[in-house]
Amino acid sequence: MKAVRFHEYGEPDVLRFEDVEQPVPAAGEVRIRVAATSFNSVDGNIRGGFMQGPIPVVLPHTPGIDVAGTVDALGEGVNGLAVGDQVVGFLPMDKPGAAAQYVLAPAEILTPAPKSVPLADAAALPLVGLTAYQALFDHGKLTAGQRVLINGAGGAVGCYAVQLAKGADAHVIATASPRSSEAVTSAGADEIIDHTTATVTGAVADPVDVVLNLAPVDPAELAALLTLIRPGGVLVNTTVWMPAPSDEERGVRGIDLFVRSDADQLAHLVALVDSGELRVDVTERVPLAELPALHARAAQGAVHGKAIIVPPTA
């Protein structure tokens, strides 16, 4: 089969489009014929060697944490799945990924793919959708009527977070650049702050219950967001290289989110997609052989929204 792998850590040019052996599922695993994977910023960090502590991978390594595809073979002891099932999942970060024609996955991390979007496009959902969901509800404990500030709402996680927060009947304040403001508006934000012309702390008039920080701001800017949170509120931060601050005097918690695979939560997100309550946005569809060039563009900050990577069908 065809796959993209890197044999050493480094710049995007370490990625190679090459022939590899088709994997065989062990007990509890299934083999998936990949319809698509997606690009996530953590892919570049793993490839660059910056995540060897939390995410140790065996070289050569195939990237691609998200997968959408069709079950192709079952390992021993797998129940509840059949060859031909269309599935979506968030693969273990330290195992071979889905930038390939076939990938192995633990059966328990998979859920049926949404029926209302093309199977390949469903690869845009797992990691970023789960990040948004876990930030808002597992850690932020967001409930109806609360006010949430989503800092960096114009990215892939942010657009899901805005939709999910609005679906929970929260009041959503979102920061976005002019380039992404239309997408954030259509996702349902109640207020939009153009962070290119205004400071967030100056633009938010009333306290919020939850701040979700998705932006690579400097530590001083992150600390300033605490001042916008009411006593007892929470700041959830996804930029894990910069710890979330807290304000113990006012009971404001700072939480660093490291997303985890959760098939039940993913099934809930799929149901929201199929009911029309959650929109899956794909900004570009990239052939697998062009994944190294996509990594290079991402390293230059030239990838916006969500890109999926599609392997050859033959």
Side-chain angles (χ1 to χ4, degrees):
M1 69 173 186
K2 293 292 186 181
V4 169
R5 303 193 297 178
F6 56 89
H7 295 248
E8 59 187 354
Y9 296 112
E11 299 297 322
D13 59 7
V14 300
L15 291 166
R16 303 180 191 172
F17 181 59
E18 57 192 13
D19 291 305
V20 301
E21 287 293 317
Q22 195 177 100
V24 177
E29 292 182 330
V30 303
R31 185 172 65 209
I32 299 168
R33 186 172 75 249
V34 177
T37 185
S38 83
F39 177 79
N40 295 287
S41 58
V42 70
D43 293 321
N45 291 328
I46 294 171
R47 184 215 69 236
F50 307 120
M51 303 294 285
Q52 294 181 56
I55 310 174
V57 300
V58 175
L59 299 180
H61 177 71
T62 303
I65 296 161
D66 293 316
V67 65
T70 305
V71 174
D72 172 75
L74 305 175
E76 185 180 351
V78 172
N79 297 306
L81 286 170
V83 171
D85 286 352
Q86 293 189 337
V87 293
V88 64
F90 174 171
L91 298 169
M93 289 185 171
D94 59 347
K95 296 294 190 286
Q101 289 178 299
Y102 295 87
V103 68
L104 299 180
E108 68 269 12
I109 65 108
L110 299 171
T111 197
K115 295 178 171 57
S116 58
V117 299
L119 180 58
D121 287 8
L125 178 64
L127 187 145
V128 289
L130 287 170
T131 298
Y133 186 89
Q134 291 169 16
L136 292 171
F137 304 114
D138 288 359
H139 301 292
K141 309 297 183 187
L142 186 69
T143 57
Q146 289 189 323
R147 290 166 54 83
V148 57
L149 168 64
I150 300 172
N151 192 43
V157 175
C159 280
Y160 283 118
V162 171
Q163 293 180 76
L164 290 169
K166 280 305 297 178
D169 293 323
H171 181 88
V172 180
I173 307 165
T175 72
S177 68
R179 184 189 67 241
S180 55
S181 62
E182 184 178 336
V184 174
T185 300
S186 67
D190 297 289
E191 302 176 43
I192 295 181
I193 299 167
D194 180 354
H195 63 77
T196 66
T197 61
T199 64
V200 180
T201 50
V204 178
D206 299 313
V208 300
D209 300 279
V210 178
V211 168
L212 171 53
N213 181 61
L214 306 170
V217 297
D218 66 45
E221 289 179 85
L222 188 60
L225 295 178
L226 284 176
T227 66
L228 303 174
I229 305 173
R230 64 160 180 81
V234 60
L235 185 156
V236 184
N237 177 46
T238 64
T239 55
V240 293
W241 60 87
M242 181 173 54
S246 58
D247 183 343
E248 294 180 7
E249 286 187 11
R250 299 193 307 118
V252 176
R253 296 172 297 134
I255 295 173
D256 293 304
L257 169 68
F258 201 80
V259 63
R260 60 184 174 82
S261 184
D262 187 310
D264 290 336
Q265 289 181 351
L266 185 54
H268 175 64
L269 295 176
V270 166
L272 292 176
V273 170
D274 280 340
S275 68
E277 297 170 76
L278 190 64
R279 189 180 71 219
V280 174
D281 287 325
V282 174
T283 54
E284 57 179 316
R285 297 164 180 83
V286 178
L288 179 61
E290 295 176 20
L291 181 58
L294 178 64
H295 272 242
R297 286 194 288 121
Q300 297 164 359
V303 175
H304 306 295
K306 195 66 178 167
I308 62 168
I309 296 94
V310 181
T313 56

